[in-house]
Amino acid sequence: MPAPQDGPLLDDAAGRLIRPYTISNGRTRPSTAFDLLSLIMATGIEPDVPLGPEHTVALGMCEGPMSVAEIAAHLRLPAVVAKVILSDLVACGAVTAHAPAFHDMPTDRSLLEAVLDGLRRQL
């Protein structure tokens, strides 16, 4: 078994060597509610529980604020598995999660129409 700093167990030819449900110990729901845009940041507190390699890699990515979606993409894991890993890190105090800030600004209709026109031209 590789050391935690080796990252997720991946093989260039075969892909992931461990199934995602194994990484989350069969859990399909995180204990902390996350949005894909929630920002995760390390607290500097060392976890007092043993972590898997994906936990260690995720924690290392959170030195600066990073979204749940970005972490899942870097780990090459489904978002729900990444959320379970991150909820473990929140539970042990290693990271904090902040919900995304949504502004009550009205959407610029002309901008949306221009984007839609551009997408239609691409098809």
Side-chain angles (χ1 to χ4, degrees):
M1 181 151 200
Q5 64 271 18
D6 290 342
L9 299 173
L10 299 171
D11 179 71
D12 290 337
R16 182 165 294 285
L17 300 175
I18 295 178
R19 296 285 177 224
Y21 61 82
T22 305
I23 295 167
S24 64
N25 292 324
R27 294 173 291 156
T28 59
R29 290 205 163 94
S31 58
T32 304
F34 295 111
D35 186 282
L36 286 176
L37 299 177
S38 294
L39 294 178
I40 311 298
M41 182 137 180
T43 61
I45 297 172
E46 289 294 319
D48 57 353
V49 295
L51 299 174
E54 286 79 12
H55 288 79
T56 304
V57 172
L59 181 56
M61 285 189 278
C62 297
E63 290 180 8
M66 187 170 252
S67 74
V68 172
E70 289 175 297
I71 294 168
H74 286 292
L75 291 175
R76 298 167 123 188
L77 289 171
V80 69
V81 176
K83 287 179 180 182
V84 170
I85 289 170
L86 293 171
S87 68
D88 292 344
L89 292 172
V90 167
C92 70
V95 299
T96 58
H98 300 283
F102 294 105
H103 303 286
D104 291 329
M105 289 180 21
T107 304
D108 182 0
R109 185 176 176 97
S110 62
L111 174 64
L112 292 176
E113 288 173 352
V115 170
L116 183 59
D117 288 340
L119 290 172
R120 285 183 179 147
R121 276 185 253 135
Q122 295 296 320
L123 297 176

